Amino acid sequence: MIDIREVTKVFGAGSDAFRALDRVSVTIRQNEFFTLLGPSGCGKTTLLRMIAGFEGPTEGTILLDGDDLAGKPPYERPVNTVFQSYALFPHMSVAENVGFGLRMLGRPKDEIAATVREMLALVRMSELAERQTAQISGGQQQRVALARALAPRPKVLLLDEPLSALDFKLRKEMQLELKRLQNETGITFVFVTHDQEEALTMSDRIAVMNAGRIRQIGVPREIYDHPADRFVADFIGDTNFLSAELTARTGDTATLRLPSGRTVEARAQGDGTPGKVTLAVRPEHAELAPPEEGALTGTLTEVVYSGTDTHYHVALDQEAGLFVLRRQNRPDAGPAHQRGDRVGIRLGAVAGQVLRD
Amino acid sequence: MDATTRSRALLLAPALFILTVAASGPLLIVFVYSFLTPGDYGGVVWDFSTQAWFNVIAERDFFTEELGWADAHLAVFWRSIKLSLLTALLSFLVGFPTAYFIATRPRRSRDMWMLLIMIPFWTNLLIRTFAIMELIRNEGTINTVLIAMGLVTAPVQMLYTEFSLLVGMTYVYLPLMILPIYASMERFDFRLVEAGYDLYASRWQVLRRIIFPLVKPGVIAGSILVFVPCLGAYVTPRVLGGGKQIMLGNLIELQFGQLRNWPLGAALSLTLLVIVMVALLIYVRAAGGEEARHG
Ligand SMILES: Nc1ncnc2c1ncn2[C@@H]1O[C@H](COP(=O)(O)OP(=O)(O)OP(=O)(O)O)[C@@H](O)[C@H]1O
Ligand SMILES: [Mg+2]
């Protein structure tokens, strides 16, 4: 279990000081697949580096299974990293790279050889064991880096965008492989990505970060269905934002009045006082309807076909901006719509998520 | 002959000229002289003789005519090789951490550090050697301080010993060790150090198994750059050895000067050249073999 408490990291000093992490607190459980998700520069790598021990927190503490890690050098932490830049040793073969950690731990030769073989088989690199690392492709290097970090069986494996250089198919395979490994080994995975789909499919829990802060922590469903704020709603998946007025609230359900005058129901957590709010609606949670039936009305400005789905862009009458809907392409899909059509937008029984501004 | 071949020949001409006339020419003269007879007042007499080569390692006793080793020469050979190796080693021990220190400074200050390393190197060799002399002679700075502090009662004899040669030559040639190591280290990806620490390597293991193998080409280049000029060093042993601790360069100079035996001087010069070549060959072999074992 990794317990990160109120960790702040400031780079530089004086007027150059830059707050890369700001009072970050999170508890990562034993054998959890925990993902840090956020845009470039939000501090994901910085947080990983502090868990690994390459960087000390400016403030706050990090505990591993109850032990304070402060002052412990990286080589005394049972934590291994798959680096964003791979950082393979160029003067060693693939097999020597994978065996390096075990060699440093002073394990017997035959044990090292056996583990190296096992790890290389796991990442499908057995045939290239004797190659120099300069002679393999970027994706292969990434897999070697993964095998190298797994070989010493750490308590925690830190992965900094380990799949970013792989092609689509291999990436899907490796995603499943990683999940399987994590289940089998009992190792806690802390996984960094800025690919939200990857985060949603692989994680037990996700922490969404922005500008050095954690915006929301939750299981993938929670993050997707109940984004805590506008940033999370926008970053995870596509979202339409509508201005609305909250008129009443019972439990988790709020009644909203849209600018069109229509009343809809939506989910709301926290503060329930009436007033101006934002309603976040996922593109697949709304559908096109005749103008008179829609909670909103507008003009279709774009129809984009993308294989499995079709996206409809609607210019709203009631407010500025586009509303995007997504409909799965099925042979029995409803009537075809064309650019310039007047349309209505029907929202679901639960229209979306209420966000406070 | 088309235009490109001709222009290539023209471009090569200066290099070929220097190689044949300026390098091979004198070497050829030295080679020829080593097989001639010494003149009475220096110079050579054009009589073929292998006496000079014989005298490089052997001598006939002046009175008994008994054949024996040229002990004086062999002692100088041994001292030259030993001191050159020790100088290369000492330069490495001092130069490697220095290069590491500079390579890990922020980019802006690295050039400043390198400049500080190079300034003494651009200073006249004699001046630098006399500076060392001033430090280590019996009435010099170090002994004065030692005596003043009461650590010793009589001055420690450092000047005119092999120790003084070692210190002097290390000081003189240190930049030639630092420069190539620094060049290798600047290209070294320090993220590999973090990867090493992450995989349970201690500081020492990271140095030995990751940093050192990757900057080894710089260390090899530096060792050669220090070792070779040390073998032929003249000024430093002359000043700091005071005629007692002479090295190969001084021995050769003696033959051409006071002893007026030019053929022997020529033969000794060529012997020095052969030692350098053999040493380089052994070294490159050993270093290359190491590489092959890792590869
Ligand atoms: N050593 C450093 N000195 C100064 N600023 C730094 C340092 N390391 C990181 N930063 C800054 O801290 C912020 C967070 O960096 P970090 O590498 O953690 O981002 P990230 O979330 O991993 O981004 P990416 O997805 O692009 O890898 C960035 O703005 C970066 O410029
Ligand atoms: Mg990063």
Side-chain angles (χ1 to χ4, degrees):
Chain A
M1 191 183 81
I2 309 169
D3 203 358
I4 297 165
R5 292 186 189 158
E6 294 279 313
V7 164
T8 294
K9 179 70 191 179
V10 180
F11 286 113
S15 57
D16 288 340
F18 177 79
R19 201 169 272 265
L21 287 177
D22 193 10
R23 279 170 287 131
V24 167
S25 291
V26 53
T27 302
I28 300 167
R29 302 182 196 123
Q30 182 71 44
N31 193 23
E32 187 172 27
F33 197 114
F34 192 88
T35 298
L36 298 172
L37 177 65
S40 186
C42 71
K44 305 181 295 287
T45 298
T46 306
L47 188 55
L48 278 200
R49 288 173 58 77
M50 285 199 286
I51 300 173
F54 300 126
E55 217 80 73
T58 311
E59 274 167 46
T61 49
I62 299 175
L63 304 148
L64 177 63
D65 292 338
D67 299 332
D68 192 345
L69 288 179
K72 260 201 180 171
Y75 48 86
E76 285 175 14
R77 301 183 182 202
V79 174
N80 285 145
T81 310
V82 179
F83 291 89
Q84 202 167 4
S85 60
Y86 320 147
L88 297 181
F89 304 125
H91 55 300
M92 297 179 198
S93 70
V94 165
E96 284 172 324
N97 263 279
V98 175
F100 188 83
L102 293 168
R103 241 187 313 148
M104 292 303 107
L105 287 171
R107 296 286 163 76
K109 274 208 162 59
D110 42 344
E111 184 197 324
I112 297 177
T115 311
V116 167
R117 262 199 307 280
E118 187 192 332
M119 288 300 142
L120 286 175
L122 196 66
V123 296
R124 314 220 171 100
M125 289 288 294
S126 302
E127 305 86 72
L128 302 181
E130 293 314 314
R131 283 272 186 95
Q132 290 295 295
T133 54
Q135 300 166 333
I136 57 178
S137 75
Q140 291 168 339
Q141 289 182 19
Q142 213 160 42
R143 285 186 277 158
V144 175
L146 187 61
R148 185 179 70 173
L150 274 171
R153 292 279 158 131
K155 274 188 189 166
V156 180
L157 187 67
L158 308 174
L159 305 103
D160 201 345
E161 308 197 19
L163 307 179
S164 57
L166 306 182
D167 61 51
F168 184 77
K169 203 158 167 282
L170 189 55
R171 191 181 174 123
K172 292 284 163 207
E173 275 178 37
M174 287 300 291
Q175 286 180 357
L176 292 175
E177 208 65 75
L178 278 180
K179 274 304 273 187
R180 187 175 66 76
L181 269 172
Q182 182 245 347
N183 284 331
E184 284 177 6
T185 55
I187 297 174
T188 306
F189 277 41
V190 184
F191 185 85
V192 162
T193 181
H194 51 231
D195 179 338
Q196 41 120 344
E197 196 199 318
E198 193 169 274
L200 290 171
T201 52
M202 300 184 71
S203 318
D204 293 325
R205 283 193 304 154
I206 300 173
V208 183
M209 296 179 66
N210 186 37
R213 286 175 185 242
I214 291 188
R215 307 299 288 257
Q216 187 175 4
I217 301 175
V219 300
R221 244 213 126 80
E222 218 168 282
I223 301 266
Y224 190 80
D225 286 344
H226 309 289
D229 59 22
R230 199 177 168 119
F231 173 82
V232 176
D234 206 16
F235 191 74
I236 311 282
D238 301 318
T239 309
N240 297 293
F241 295 106
L242 299 169
S243 54
E245 199 169 319
L246 192 146
T247 53
R249 193 182 125 193
T250 41
D252 274 355
T253 309
T255 309
L256 306 179
R257 191 166 53 239
L258 297 177
S260 61
R262 294 283 194 123
T263 313
V264 293
E265 303 212 313
R267 280 179 308 256
Q269 281 92 25
D271 181 18
T273 49
K276 282 206 164 306
V277 291
T278 300
L279 174 62
V281 183
R282 297 289 185 193
E284 66 276 16
H285 292 167
E287 36 180 36
L288 288 179
E292 61 281 3
E293 283 179 29
L296 301 156
T297 53
T299 310
L300 205 54
T301 59
E302 200 79 66
V303 178
V304 183
Y305 174 79
S306 75
T308 53
D309 302 312
T310 304
H311 299 240
Y312 299 94
H313 296 206
V314 180
L316 295 175
D317 295 336
Q318 292 81 12
E319 58 185 305
L322 289 172
F323 191 99
V324 179
L325 302 93
R326 186 157 61 217
R327 193 172 71 184
Q328 230 179 30
N329 291 326
R330 278 192 268 186
D332 60 345
H337 295 275
Q338 271 161 22
R339 223 146 64 141
D341 283 359
R342 291 284 304 159
V343 292
I345 296 167
R346 193 188 296 137
L347 300 176
V350 177
Q353 174 76 27
V354 174
L355 305 174
R356 285 278 161 186
D357 291 326
Chain B
M1 200 194 239
D2 61 36
T4 46
T5 338
R6 190 164 22 205
S7 67
R8 189 178 302 167
L10 273 175
L11 283 172
L12 275 175
L16 285 176
F17 176 81
I18 288 179
L19 268 180
T20 49
V21 178
S24 310
L27 203 60
L28 196 67
I29 294 174
V30 171
F31 183 75
V32 171
Y33 272 28
S34 71
F35 286 104
L36 297 177
T37 308
D40 287 340
Y41 302 100
V44 286
V45 178
W46 284 81
D47 284 330
F48 178 81
S49 157
T50 55
Q51 187 64 34
W53 283 102
F54 175 77
N55 280 345
V56 167
I57 52 165
E59 63 188 357
R60 213 173 275 282
D61 190 281
F62 195 74
F63 299 106
T64 64
E65 300 249 320
E66 228 175 295
L67 207 60
W69 293 104
D71 291 334
H73 290 180
L74 292 181
V76 171
F77 281 135
W78 168 235
R79 180 183 299 128
S80 293
I81 293 172
K82 181 181 70 181
L83 283 180
S84 301
L85 284 175
L86 285 174
T87 305
L89 183 70
L90 191 60
S91 308
F92 168 73
L93 291 179
V94 177
F96 189 89
T98 310
Y100 183 90
F101 172 83
I102 297 174
T104 49
R105 290 313 96 189
R107 189 161 289 281
R108 270 171 299 151
S109 53
R110 284 185 215 163
D111 292 340
M112 194 262 303
W113 285 108
M114 281 318 284
L115 190 71
L116 288 180
I117 298 288
M118 293 311 292
I119 284 174
F121 193 65
W122 292 324
T123 313
N124 183 289
L125 178 59
L126 262 175
I127 294 176
R128 281 188 291 159
T129 312
F130 276 110
I132 289 278
M133 188 169 163
E134 180 54 37
L135 277 177
I136 63 176
R137 71 198 171 94
N138 285 2
E139 302 78 27
T141 316
I142 293 177
N143 272 319
T144 313
V145 170
L146 284 181
I147 291 170
M149 285 169 66
L151 290 176
V152 292
T153 45
V156 181
Q157 180 68 44
M158 291 181 281
L159 196 58
Y160 308 140
T161 64
E162 289 190 347
F163 168 78
S164 67
L165 262 60
L166 184 61
V167 169
M169 291 198 299
T170 302
Y171 172 58
V172 167
Y173 295 117
L174 186 60
L176 294 181
M177 178 66 82
I178 294 179
L179 216 57
I181 297 182
Y182 170 72
S184 292
M185 278 206 186
E186 219 189 8
R187 269 180 279 124
F188 178 78
D189 180 359
F190 278 91
R191 287 178 298 191
L192 296 180
V193 172
E194 289 193 342
Y197 285 144
D198 192 61
L199 293 163
Y200 313 107
S202 63
R203 279 164 199 283
W204 166 246
Q205 283 168 323
V206 163
L207 186 67
R208 196 172 103 68
R209 304 207 176 254
I210 297 169
I211 301 176
F212 188 74
L214 287 169
V215 301
K216 211 170 66 179
V219 175
I220 291 175
S223 308
I224 291 172
L225 285 176
V226 171
F227 179 77
V228 171
C230 274
L231 262 188
Y234 172 73
V235 172
T236 311
R238 177 76 194 261
V239 175
L240 299 178
K244 288 184 198 146
Q245 308 291 342
I246 68 168
M247 287 178 59
L248 259 171
N250 312 100
L251 183 63
I252 292 167
E253 192 263 352
L254 267 180
Q255 305 306 327
F256 283 102
Q258 282 174 30
L259 301 181
R260 297 201 202 102
N261 192 342
W262 287 26
L264 180 56
L268 285 169
S269 302
L270 290 172
T271 309
L272 171 61
L273 195 65
V274 169
I275 294 177
V276 167
M277 305 248 253
V278 169
L280 286 188
L281 216 66
I282 293 173
Y283 197 69
V284 169
R285 271 279 173 79
E290 180 101 337
E291 203 94 310
R293 230 173 301 133
H294 275 292

